[in-house]
Amino acid sequence: MPHNKLYKKANYLVNEKSPYLLQHAYNPVDWYPWTEEAFDKAKALNKPIFLSIGYSTCHWCHVMERESFEDAEVAAVLNRDFISIKVDREERPDIDQIYMTFSHVSTGQGGWPLTVFLTPEKKPFYVGTYFPKNYKYGRPGLLEVLKGITNKWNQSRSEVETSAEKMTLMLNSLDRTEEETIFDRDVFRDTYDYFNQSFDVKYGGFGKEPKFPTPHNLFYLLRYFEANKESHALEMVEKTLTQMYKGGIFDHIGFGFSRYATDQAWLVPHFEKMLYDNALLIMAYAETYQVTGNALYKDIAEKIITYVTRDLMSPEGGFYCAEDADSEGEEGKFYVWTMDEVEKILGHDRSEFFIHYYPMTEEGNFEGKNILNLITTSIEIIQENQDIKDQLEVMAKELFNEREKRIHPHKDDKILTGWNGLMIATLAKAGRTFNNPSTIKQAEQAIEFIEKNLTGNDGRLFARYRQGDVKHLAYLDDYAFMIWGYIECYEATFKIEYLEKALKRVDDMVDLFGDEKGESGFYLYGKDAEQLIAKPKDIFDNAMPAGNSIAAYCLVRLGKMTGRKDLVDKAEAMFTYFEAKLNQSPMAFTMMLSAKLFAEEPTKEIVLAGKREEATIKAMIESLNKKYMPFSVVLLNEEDGKLEQINDFAKNQRTSEGKATAYICENYHCEQPVTEIEAFNQLI
């Protein structure tokens, strides 16, 4: 990866593996990674800590680096008055979570780069996000902030330390609820009403720009639709998924979604592409395809899979983190087009045809160039006319081949266990939904990669792999997302080993992240990891669903698959523990609400008895995979004795008279077992 070697002298980051830290290894700032050595030095020299948190594909992190961290004047002040520490938020979500919470509580906002001032004891006393070098955009300049902090540190130390102490106590009290509350079932409806009121009728999505995809909100609305037959919930999902695809947030030439759009119509993206967004969006499109049967959603999901496997999959089968927004120092440069460029590649007549569907102008729609989009185009005409669709695909491929010659944005090629867990879950789900065995195989290869490269000899998961280097004990999210991946791989393959591994990881998760005081919910980092100034136990769904929410969802699902009531009880205890938050602002916790719906809705339990290769079993599985059944669990009893070691009730559900047989139970009663596919389809 190219380092900025403007300054020949490397700082302490030069031996790190994080692409983000390496980007700063040749800054004139004497950066340290997060190590005890840095804090010991701060104590010895009696200096405050300047903590800067970001990630390698973050646009404003690059801006702040160019303006301030490569600047000799700023570096001189930082090196004289502070100990400066750089943290990659993707490698250390534990550190990021604590100080981001401090930012939200003390300023009402957050984001990256996150700039925090700490005492040498790691306690925070002042925070901001992006600071320009000098005052602009209505933001204070970094130089004046540094001067103010230094004066305060030297003249009113006890005041600073008292404030930091108060903030640390506050960070440790946030997860506690003083009184027990009863879960209010109206919360499900209230959450739907919130989305209904904030829904953008014209362009889909919710609220004002910037607009984020937030797929877990769509998961919730799909489940609400299924539970309550509320058709508008589905309409909101469909409108959002269609308009996002039509906008510039989707890369119509190379595929994949950017992180968010800066405008109402989803036209102008913040061009970075993240693995987790694309993973969760594949899941959203696949589920909506199951609900509607609309081939458009399948097409879009398969395009995203094409992008991820082409551009983010490592040769060994794991998935990289992200691609940058910037190339050649300009945001979006890689992705935009002039009319002349398109005409030169496609020729006059063909470019006119292309521009009819992907409108472009001489002035452009983004800094003098064009972001390709379908916002004003009737997508139905393209979908219904195979000839138009084929022609546009051929032209897009020609533009793609030409675009490949451009200088590519930087790729963050570290491999994170949790984000891979999301990708595993979604590839398994999409593979079975679209009847695509090669997609399922990719999920299985990623599992093999994690098991081989990110698992210690004692079975402990690690969080990050890059160039053979493994670092950081895995976090709650890593465990929860991998468990989800195992469950989806079981339902895609019916290999019993995936259920066994999911259960083993659940036991590890309870042991490592459970509350030693006996309260419910899981801590973000393990009891065997570095103990920071606070232990967050969070359920807030940000760009990704919270680890606790996915943990609860997996506990319910696994409990119902295996008949283990203790797992469902653990999830129920989590709902009780977080009840006050769920009642207060449920729209911030939609993944936890999806888990709660799964726990409360009548569950369809389906056991198929017979061999996986049998024609009847295959036909039954295919029928199941096409249907949207969010409150169901499916097991395959191949009568080899393996399933009954995990699930006691399934051992009696066996083939009838040597024929493949399906057992379907719901709402505390079971239907007559069936051996014919027509009868099976009627029952499901």
Side-chain angles (χ1 to χ4, degrees), residues 371-491:
I371 298 168
L372 296 183
N373 70 89
L374 295 162
I375 293 168
T376 58
T377 301
S378 165
I379 206 154
E380 291 74 24
I381 289 174
I382 299 174
Q383 283 298 109
E384 288 161 15
N385 190 317
Q386 195 61 43
D387 183 49
I388 293 173
K389 195 176 176 185
D390 290 346
Q391 284 191 64
L392 289 172
E393 281 177 7
V394 168
M395 291 176 193
K397 184 77 179 146
E398 288 173 39
L399 293 174
F400 173 80
N401 290 337
E402 204 57 39
R403 194 180 81 175
E404 281 295 278
K405 298 172 187 172
R406 296 177 180 176
I407 293 172
H408 279 247
H410 150 71
K411 198 187 305 268
D412 188 319
D413 62 354
K414 67 181 183 295
I415 294 172
L416 296 177
T417 299
W419 298 13
N420 273 259
L422 294 178
M423 202 65 221
I424 290 161
T426 207
L427 287 174
K429 171 86 176 184
R432 72 182 175 87
T433 302
F434 306 143
N435 194 16
N436 189 337
S438 68
T439 302
I440 296 169
K441 189 80 203 129
Q442 285 165 335
E444 294 191 275
Q445 283 170 345
I447 282 183
E448 283 170 27
F449 178 88
I450 301 293
E451 289 176 350
K452 182 182 167 197
N453 297 290
L454 279 148
T455 310
N457 295 332
D458 58 354
R460 179 66 157 105
L461 280 175
F462 284 82
R464 187 271 284 150
Y465 172 96
R466 183 167 186 263
Q467 296 175 352
D469 183 69
V470 176
K471 198 169 185 184
H472 309 301
L473 291 171
Y475 307 97
L476 170 64
D477 297 26
D478 299 305
Y479 276 78
F481 297 173
M482 279 302 294
I483 292 163
W484 191 12
Y486 281 125
I487 294 170
E488 293 295 348
C489 272
Y490 173 74
E491 289 209 343

Side-chain angles (χ1 to χ4, degrees), residues 8 34 51 72 119 121 142 150 176 188 229 291 312 342 371 404 411 413 447 452 493-494 499 524 535 580 652 684:
K8 294 287 179 257
W34 179 279
L51 174 64
T119 67
E121 292 72 38
L142 183 60
T150 303
R176 300 203 190 106
F188 294 127
K229 300 297 173 259
V291 178
L312 294 181
V342 172
I371 298 168
E404 281 295 278
K411 198 187 305 268
D413 62 354
I447 282 183
K452 182 182 167 197
T493 65
F494 294 109
L499 269 189
L524 174 57
K535 282 195 90 166
N652 304 316
I684 64 165

